[in-house]
Each structure stands twice: as C-alpha cells, then as structure tokens.
Amino acid sequence: MANNSIAQSGNYIGVDLSAQTLRVALVAGDGQVLERRETVLDGEIVSRQTASIVQELRDHAASIEAIGIGIPGLVNPQTHEVVISSGMPSAEHGNLQVELSNLTGLPVALENDANAAAYGEYITGTGRGSRNMFYVTLGQGIGGAIILGGKLWLGASGFAGEFGHITIDPDGAECVCGNTGCLETVASAPNIVRRTHERLFRDGTSSLSKLSMNRDFTAADIAREARNGDDFALLMIERTGRYIGTAVASVINLLNIERIVLGGGVMEAGDLILDPIIREAGRRSFQPCFEATQIVAAGLGADAVAIGAAMLARDAEQI
Ligand SMILES: [Zn+2]
C-alpha cells in the first residue's frame, strides 16, 4: 500500500466528474477523506468551477500537493487530453489538465473514472491487500479497469478494461459502441429498466409486482422492491446477475485474477445481485482460475472516483 513516506505527508484533491454532481474531496496521503464538497456540475465552466472549490478546500489543509480528476471518458496517456467523453462532451474541447493547473498552480493528473475508482478501491477499499485486481463499475454505463502488480494496466493505447463491451449475446441489441449484444445492452441501469419494462408487458404474472404500478421506476426502485421480497423484481436482479457473471467468467479465464471488485449503483442490490454473479461466474469459468478469485462488492461508495483520482495524483510519478 505505502509508496513512500514523503509522498504521503501532504494532502491531495480528488475530483469526480463522472456524474451530474461535481464531487471534490480533500484526501490525506493515506487515502482518508478529510473534507467533501458537492455541487451541480456545469460542463461549460468545469475548470473554473473546480478551481473555486479547490481554493475553498485549501483553507482546510496546510499543504496540497496535487489534484487528480476522474472523468467519464478516455484519456490519452501521452497527451493527457480527453479523447472521447460521452458523459461530458465539453471536456473534449480545450485541455482540462492545463486549464486547471494554470488556475490552481498545482500539478493535475487526469484519468478515466473507472480507472480512478479501481485505484481507490485498491488503495483503501475492498481491493486492499490484493496485488492483481479487476474492477467493474455498473451504473448508467459499464466500465472496467485492470490493476496488475499494483499498477493500472492501461493497454496499448490507454483504453484497457472495456468490460461493458464484452459480447454476451451475439444476436442481442445494438450497443452504442456499434457492436450488438454487449453486456452494457442488458446490465447497465437504463437497460435493466428497459428489460424490466419489456417483461412487465409480456409476462401476465408480473402484474402482481409493485413495479407494474409505477411507470417511471428506476434501477434503484427494482433493487429496493427485490429487497422487499417482490418476486418479479428479484427475478430481474437475478437474471442481470447471471449476465454480469457470464462476463466475469471471461475475465477470470483470461487473467486468473486474484480479486474482482464490483461497484456502481447497480450493486446497491447487494447480495441479491452479487450471489448470482458469483454463481454464474463459477459455472462458466475454468475451475482452477475461479477458485483463486475473490469476487467482492466495492467498499467506497460514492467516494471511490475522488479517492482514486487523488491517489493517482499522489502516485503519478510511480505509475
Ligand atoms: Zn458495446
């Protein structure tokens, strides 16, 4: 865990730009969150908005060494420019890293949000203690990240770990990536809602479900009804878990990875989704690989991206 004591003596700022809410955390060198700030993200003025919160947090900490930012897009590891960002198109114009560094006078590290969350879980969450870890985030979209020997494995061009675009059904629905039947087309939060709507129409017995009384239910509502014992909601969560477990089996076979950490809003269903994921992964993966893998829920919740981004800024020279 510890890198070097000098790097850990200061504090860091972690910024999460992965959602509509801009989250900024003041993070100690050991990964503990000291202060948090949240505001509605304005994509047009994101640099200035972030810089003013950084200034506010500076009043709480004697020394801030660097800023790390997690963004919902792909970052070119050479130029640090945002290459693709579906969640924050404005980030593709201009250079967020340079702008924020100029405004604050601090070094700024930019990283994909899934990579940042993975690193956060690895340092202080449920990935702690592992050397090799695969991280999955299941929310509005599905992302993944690979940590091998304590370092993020970025791949040939920086885009490794696109777990959401593993093919689950060759004849499945069209995905935003151009492929058909990606995991994301069935197991992201909006697609869990879509499948649930479709099945409510098809399946007569589902009218007993509380979900049939609410046309605008969300993935969180489905998870809540499942926890309350609603059989139809349970079935949808269970099936979603089986899809995710099918993709997890591929990861296990490919990497013989020590630990798989699953985070994001979809995992708020807890064991109701984790159990079918583990069962399906066990059924579909090569047994000696499966037996060496711990599959666990993430531990940092909404702080994961900010903590991880801060720790990536801390370790920027080592990584
Ligand atoms: Zn896809």
Side-chain angles (χ1 to χ4, degrees), residues 37-67:
R37 295 288 182 277
E38 281 184 23
T39 187
V40 176
L41 177 66
D42 182 343
E44 297 305 311
I45 55 160
V46 64
S47 301
R48 274 185 288 143
Q49 213 182 3
T50 307
S52 82
I53 299 177
V54 168
Q55 189 52 48
E56 195 189 318
L57 287 171
R58 271 179 145 167
D59 299 338
H60 290 267
S63 73
I64 290 175
E65 307 290 332
I67 302 172

Side-chain angles (χ1 to χ4, degrees), residues 71 210 214 299:
I71 63 135
K210 278 222 174 100
N214 172 13

Side-chain angles (χ1 to χ4, degrees), residues 64-125:
I64 290 175
E65 307 290 332
I67 302 172
I69 310 179
I71 63 135
L74 302 178
V75 180
N76 182 314
Q78 270 82 46
T79 65
H80 303 285
E81 282 178 358
V82 181
V83 185
I84 301 167
S85 179
S86 55
M88 201 177 55
S90 63
E92 289 174 59
H93 310 296
N95 188 322
L96 196 57
Q97 190 199 30
V98 170
E99 282 171 29
L100 192 59
S101 189
N102 287 342
L103 287 168
T104 60
L106 291 167
V108 175
L110 208 57
E111 191 49 80
N112 168 264
D113 54 358
N115 286 350
Y119 203 65
E121 292 291 343
Y122 175 75
I123 298 287
T124 62

Side-chain angles (χ1 to χ4, degrees), residues 5-318:
S5 55
I6 298 159
Q8 296 206 3
S9 63
N11 297 303
Y12 296 83
I13 290 201
V15 181
D16 178 359
L17 296 178
S18 67
Q20 303 300 314
T21 304
L22 167 63
R23 294 173 186 274
V24 185
L26 176 64
V27 183
D30 64 358
Q32 298 306 307
V33 175
L34 304 173
E35 291 280 336
R36 289 179 185 80
R37 295 288 182 277
E38 281 184 23
T39 187
V40 176
L41 177 66
D42 182 343
E44 297 305 311
I45 55 160
V46 64
S47 301
R48 274 185 288 143
Q49 213 182 3
T50 307
S52 82
I53 299 177
V54 168
Q55 189 52 48
E56 195 189 318
L57 287 171
R58 271 179 145 167
D59 299 338
H60 290 267
S63 73
I64 290 175
E65 307 290 332
I67 302 172
I69 310 179
I71 63 135
L74 302 178
V75 180
N76 182 314
Q78 270 82 46
T79 65
H80 303 285
E81 282 178 358
V82 181
V83 185
I84 301 167
S85 179
S86 55
M88 201 177 55
S90 63
E92 289 174 59
H93 310 296
N95 188 322
L96 196 57
Q97 190 199 30
V98 170
E99 282 171 29
L100 192 59
S101 189
N102 287 342
L103 287 168
T104 60
L106 291 167
V108 175
L110 208 57
E111 191 49 80
N112 168 264
D113 54 358
N115 286 350
Y119 203 65
E121 292 291 343
Y122 175 75
I123 298 287
T124 62
T126 54
R128 191 173 177 158
S130 64
R131 289 279 296 155
N132 304 305
M133 185 192 112
F134 190 79
Y135 174 79
V136 174
T137 175
L138 302 141
Q140 289 301 109
I142 296 179
I146 307 164
I147 292 177
L148 298 178
K151 294 185 178 185
L152 276 172
W153 174 262
L154 297 174
S157 52
F159 312 142
E162 284 295 340
F163 182 73
H165 300 290
I166 289 178
T167 302
I168 290 297
D169 176 4
D171 305 316
E174 200 171 309
C175 181
V176 288
C177 75
N179 184 27
T180 53
C182 293
L183 178 66
E184 190 163 296
T185 67
V186 289
S188 68
N191 280 303
I192 295 170
V193 170
R194 177 187 56 76
R195 284 173 35 236
T196 305
H197 271 294
E198 285 172 6
R199 203 177 165 99
L200 272 171
F201 266 111
R202 256 201 341 259
D203 185 344
T205 59
S206 65
S207 62
L208 294 171
S209 169
K210 278 222 174 100
L211 293 169
S212 64
M213 289 180 252
N214 172 13
R215 292 177 66 87
D216 300 318
F217 60 80
T218 63
D221 293 328
I222 300 169
R224 193 191 59 248
E225 294 306 338
R227 279 196 300 273
N228 290 340
D230 184 304
D231 285 342
F232 177 70
L234 267 169
L235 174 85
M236 295 310 298
I237 295 289
E238 156 93 22
R239 295 216 164 178
T240 304
R242 285 175 56 189
Y243 286 130
I244 299 165
T246 302
V248 164
S250 296
V251 171
I252 290 172
N253 285 356
L254 187 67
L255 297 176
N256 185 198
I257 201 95
E258 188 181 341
R259 199 170 302 170
I260 297 179
V261 176
L262 299 139
V266 171
M267 290 306 294
E268 280 165 26
D271 288 346
L272 294 180
I273 193 153
L274 185 61
D275 290 347
I277 290 172
I278 294 173
R279 266 201 311 277
E280 196 68 11
R283 245 197 309 261
R284 290 184 182 272
S285 56
F286 186 58
Q287 280 309 300
C289 289
F290 178 73
E291 283 160 15
T293 308
Q294 299 165 296
I295 304 173
V296 298
L300 299 180
D303 284 336
V305 174
I307 292 174
M311 294 296 95
L312 282 165
R314 181 194 75 179
D315 299 342
E317 279 147 41
Q318 287 101 314

